Amino acid sequence: MVKQELSDTAGGNLDLLPRGVKPELDWPAVQELVQRLGRICRAQIGDADAIVGISRGGWIPARLLAEHLGIKRLYSMGLQYSDSKRTTLETYQFPHIENSRVILIEDATESGRALDYGRKVLEPKNNFVLTASLLVKKGGPFPSQAFCDEVDVVPRFPWEI
């Protein structure tokens, strides 16, 4: 099912793509994923109070999801790896949110470390945090709690150059 959906969106069969070429999603495919994710998030968290997009991949999905769910409180969380091996994350910008139901979102989750770290930043402020992403790479150590599909290869999103 995932391969079929992504292959239709990418304009061909994912199995036939040359090695190293990432499939691409177009805006209609992203909109469908956002609508599906919205239903999944609402079923898991109810009416969220806020959405936090992890920089940079989560910004556009956060904005689209906020619009879809009618959520006015939209924030950004800046995370970056502080080492060359990409194992240690640090926060360079975080929202001051307390006592809220929060959806923390990325476009795609590969390792899931950023979402896990972001959740740990927000939860001590008495927030209930639901981690979400449009897609999850199979086998990641910290998958999102809410996502649309698992994929072998994370596709290129329309906002990526």
Side-chain angles (χ1 to χ4, degrees):
M1 182 173 154
V2 174
K3 279 194 175 183
Q4 182 60 44
E5 287 177 12
L6 292 179
S7 67
D8 288 348
T9 304
N13 188 328
L14 291 181
D15 294 330
L16 300 178
L17 288 173
R19 194 173 198 87
V21 174
K22 292 174 81 171
E24 294 184 12
L25 292 180
D26 59 16
W27 285 107
V30 168
Q31 192 63 33
E32 170 63 25
L33 289 172
V34 167
Q35 291 171 3
R36 287 174 50 201
L37 186 60
R39 290 190 296 272
I40 293 166
C41 288
R42 186 166 275 146
Q44 290 189 30
I45 198 172
D47 291 328
D49 301 305
I51 294 180
V52 177
I54 292 183
S55 69
R56 295 174 324 225
W59 289 348
I60 293 171
R63 175 61 180 97
L64 296 171
L65 189 61
E67 182 69 27
H68 178 71
L69 295 176
I71 297 171
K72 302 293 184 200
R73 292 173 54 199
L74 179 62
Y75 300 92
S76 174
M77 178 179 284
L79 299 178
Q80 66 186 15
Y81 287 98
S82 60
D83 62 330
S84 61
K85 294 183 180 182
R86 297 179 51 92
T87 57
T88 305
L89 278 163
E90 63 183 20
T91 309
Y92 63 86
Q93 174 191 4
F94 62 93
H96 297 283
I97 304 172
E98 295 181 349
N99 306 312
S100 297
R101 289 168 294 159
V102 178
I103 298 171
L104 179 65
I105 188 168
E106 282 251 64
D107 52 7
T109 304
E110 294 185 54
S111 71
R113 282 185 288 231
L115 284 174
D116 187 56
Y117 183 86
R119 179 184 56 77
K120 290 175 182 174
V121 168
L122 292 169
E123 282 181 340
K125 302 286 187 183
N126 200 34
N127 293 305
F128 176 81
V129 180
L130 177 70
T131 59
S133 57
L134 300 175
L135 301 170
V136 170
K137 186 173 181 179
K138 289 180 184 173
F142 303 104
S144 302
Q145 295 166 305
F147 59 92
C148 295
D149 287 315
E150 288 185 292
V151 294
D152 292 320
V153 177
V154 174
R156 187 172 173 188
F157 291 92
W159 50 87
E160 296 176 312
I161 296 175

